[in-house]
Amino acid sequence: MLNFIVVSGIQKQLAAALISGFSCFIAGALTGWPAPTLKKLREPDSAIRLTPSEEAWVVNALHITTILSTLPLGSLMNTLGRKTTVLVLCVSPIVSWVLVYFARTSFVLIIARSIGGLWLGGCQTLLPIYIAEIAEPRVRGIAGSFIMVNAFAGIIFVFTIGPYVSVPLMAVINAVCPCVFFMLFSFCPESPYFYVMRGRHEAAGRALAWLRGGAPMDGELNIIQTSIENEAREGQGFYKRMLLLITNPANRKAFFIVEVMTFLQRFSGLSVLNSFSTVMLPERTGLLTADHCTLIMGIVWLLASMCCSSLIDKLGRKPLLHISSIGIFASMIPTAVWYYLDRETTTDVTRVNWVPFAGFLVFGFTVSIGIGPIAAMYPGEMFPSHLKAQASALSNMVSSISATLSTIMFVTINAHIGLFANFLVFAAVGIVNLVFTCFCVIETKGKSLQIIQDELKHGTRKELGVDRDIPEIGCGNHGQRR
């Protein structure tokens, strides 16, 4: 089907990445629907009445299942394949929305959120790997940024329709999305890396030829085969592979970079502002209510992630991470000052009550153009093929646990110190991320997955004393020197 729509290899890769990224739109909707819905469930005529404790369980059930599902799904993707595992998981969001439609008790809503967590865990674990393995180095950044673009779009979608439709109608509308995704993604190819891992070299050749526009790809296929064969010799079995993430220096370096970046992404304030912006912002900012401001924030975050898509393979990952880090610091300091003056002193700051909204906008833009999407795509770029399942699953667990801990930290600091102190923490994380990016993170722009592994093992080209370019694969030259 896609052959009638796209012609060149680049177009096919981006089409497959965009369609696979639509799964994150579904995940974003599953994540964000309680925000506009819990207000309705508090109304006197609501069919379901939730206690504060039950509301907390409804919100957190999705994240708990996400944490528990990552390792099993990571193993499943190496058995069934990246594509097949995602297609099988399509039943998860459909069942989740069906339960929301029929829900009349808090228990059913909790079960619905728990089942939805399987989909979120699958997307966060599988999608970065699938996209990294199908895309050429020169467009891998653009393709990987589709993950965050779709996630923000899904959140904005439920934020937009949630206040204006009933809960059952919202469930029906969102249940259509995984059905559409299943039909579209069925026409996308499986990862050639998976086929090689399973010894299906002819299938890998066909998938690679489709992704590269039908040109002969023997050189790239041979490199993939050699790389996977060498990696497979390092370890067989689940526990040995897990151990290799720590004992092998290159894997340990990759693991350190990915997990620290994931931790900093969540503790930068991304999870907190996404969940609590409506209740933190002033009730009115000019003519805008807090709900309006939150919706505008979501749109700005989406536009920023789209900017990241157009810049990431031109500027590189590290420059965008630098911009993101500086932006977090620059936006959170004045926000902290405003909340300190407003909540901790008698100073009247109502004339400048636009400061928090402006700070949130700048924060969201800079996070979405840098650390937000880049931290999500790095697991697919940094790990060798035979360890990607376990490493990506662990990264997903770190992300979910960090999001939970950052929320707990926010509530605790707010209760015992003051709301302003949270923004000082976020600003400090921006500085830490700037230093970490400068000295620890490696640039992956325009590099094949094999060369990234080579740099993790032996150092960068400058460190190796290599003056000329190392030949890349899959960049339109089919493994030949440029």
Side-chain angles (χ1 to χ4, degrees):
M1 177 180 177
L2 291 176
N3 287 330
F4 296 102
I5 303 173
V6 291
V7 178
S8 73
I10 293 297
Q11 289 176 321
K12 289 182 177 181
Q13 293 165 49
L14 293 179
L18 184 61
I19 290 172
S20 64
F22 185 58
S23 64
C24 294
F25 177 96
I26 300 167
L30 285 169
T31 302
W33 72 259
T37 302
L38 289 179
K39 292 181 180 179
K40 292 184 176 184
L41 299 181
R42 294 175 182 176
E43 296 175 356
D45 60 345
S46 173
I48 307 174
R49 302 301 297 274
L50 303 179
T51 66
S53 175
E54 289 172 335
E55 288 183 354
W57 273 105
V58 168
V59 172
N60 290 327
L62 178 135
H63 301 293
I64 294 172
T65 314
T66 299
I67 295 171
L68 297 176
S69 65
T70 51
L71 283 175
L73 290 176
S75 299
L76 191 63
M77 64 179 273
N78 281 343
T79 303
L80 298 181
R82 285 76 161 127
K83 173 184 173 181
T84 305
T85 302
V86 173
L87 290 176
V88 170
L89 282 176
C90 279
V91 69
S92 167
I94 295 174
V95 172
S96 179
W97 286 117
V98 168
L99 289 175
V100 171
Y101 179 87
F102 289 105
R104 294 297 179 269
T105 65
S106 61
F107 177 76
V108 177
L109 287 179
I110 292 171
I111 296 299
R113 291 281 289 177
S114 299
I115 294 174
L118 295 174
W119 180 256
L120 182 61
C123 290
Q124 293 179 348
T125 303
L126 275 67
L127 259 295
I129 295 174
Y130 176 79
I131 291 176
E133 291 180 346
I134 67 169
E136 297 180 31
R138 57 177 169 172
V139 296
R140 195 172 59 238
I142 298 175
S145 66
F146 290 160
I147 294 174
M148 193 62 70
V149 170
N150 277 279
F152 283 143
I155 293 173
I156 293 172
F157 180 68
V158 291
F159 279 8
T160 303
I161 68 169
Y164 305 107
V165 300
S166 65
V167 175
L169 181 56
M170 180 189 68
V172 171
I173 294 172
N174 281 283
V176 174
C177 294
C179 299
V180 173
F181 170 78
F182 183 92
M183 290 186 291
L184 291 176
F185 194 51
S186 297
F187 293 99
C188 293
E190 177 59 88
S191 163
Y193 281 77
F194 167 74
Y195 282 137
V196 172
M197 290 172 63
R198 306 303 293 179
R200 300 172 60 184
H201 301 300
E202 290 185 6
R206 289 193 297 271
L208 199 59
W210 188 93
L211 289 164
R212 304 299 184 256
M217 298 306 301
D218 292 341
E220 183 175 357
L221 184 59
N222 289 335
I223 293 175
I224 293 174
Q225 292 174 3
T226 302
S227 174
I228 290 178
E229 288 170 0
N230 292 336
E231 292 166 357
R233 295 191 193 102
E234 295 182 7
Q236 295 290 338
F238 176 82
Y239 295 105
K240 190 170 183 180
R241 288 176 179 176
M242 293 286 284
L243 192 62
L244 279 173
L245 289 173
I246 305 300
T247 58
N248 182 283
N251 297 336
R252 184 168 61 244
K253 183 177 181 180
F255 189 72
F256 174 75
I257 291 172
V258 170
E259 304 315 321
V260 172
M261 187 178 295
T262 299
F263 177 86
L264 293 175
Q265 180 210 49
R266 290 301 176 179
F267 273 85
S268 69
L270 178 62
S271 298
V272 169
L273 265 66
N274 190 37
S275 301
F276 296 100
S277 57
T278 302
V279 296
M280 284 193 295
L281 287 167
E283 291 186 7
R284 282 199 170 270
T285 303
L287 299 176
L288 301 174
T289 66
D291 287 333
H292 293 151
C293 291
T294 301
L295 181 58
I296 293 172
M297 283 171 51
I299 295 172
V300 169
W301 292 18
L302 174 62
L303 293 175
S305 62
M306 295 172 69
C307 289
C308 178
S309 298
S310 62
L311 294 175
I312 192 167
D313 283 321
K314 296 178 182 178
L315 296 181
R317 281 63 160 161
K318 292 186 71 170
L320 292 179
L321 288 170
H322 294 158
I323 294 171
S324 187
S325 303
I326 296 170
I328 292 170
F329 177 80
S331 62
M332 290 294 95
I333 289 296
T335 304
V337 171
W338 189 92
Y339 276 105
Y340 176 78
L341 295 175
D342 183 60
R343 303 288 177 91
E344 308 298 328
T345 72
T346 58
T347 305
D348 183 10
V349 291
T350 54
R351 292 185 178 181
V352 289
N353 69 347
W354 51 266
V355 170
F357 180 44
F360 287 11
L361 283 180
V362 174
F363 169 88
F365 183 88
T366 53
V367 166
S368 302
I369 206 172
I371 191 171
I374 292 173
M377 72 174 65
Y378 255 40
E381 293 187 320
M382 299 289 283
F383 297 108
S385 300
H386 68 302
L387 298 181
K388 280 183 179 180
Q390 289 79 13
S392 183
L394 289 174
S395 299
N396 190 19
M397 292 177 66
V398 169
S399 178
S400 298
I401 293 171
S402 298
T404 303
L405 291 177
S406 68
T407 302
I408 295 172
M409 180 194 73
F410 169 79
V411 174
T412 303
I413 291 178
N414 188 30
H416 296 284
I417 301 177
L419 182 59
F420 75 95
N422 284 288
F423 301 104
L424 293 177
V425 173
F426 302 154
V429 170
I431 296 300
V432 172
N433 189 64
L434 180 62
V435 174
F436 176 73
T437 302
C438 288
F439 295 102
C440 299
V441 175
I442 69 170
E443 180 60 74
T444 60
K445 182 191 81 168
K447 298 173 182 175
S448 69
L449 300 181
Q450 287 71 35
I451 286 183
I452 294 172
Q453 289 303 306
D454 186 63
E455 290 192 3
L456 286 167
K457 292 176 182 177
H458 306 294
T460 63
R461 296 174 184 181
K462 291 183 179 180
E463 292 170 347
L464 290 169
V466 178
D467 295 324
R468 58 188 175 85
D469 286 344
I470 298 173
E472 304 281 8
I473 63 170
C475 295
N477 55 7
H478 312 309
Q480 298 175 2
R481 294 182 184 275
R482 287 182 248 190

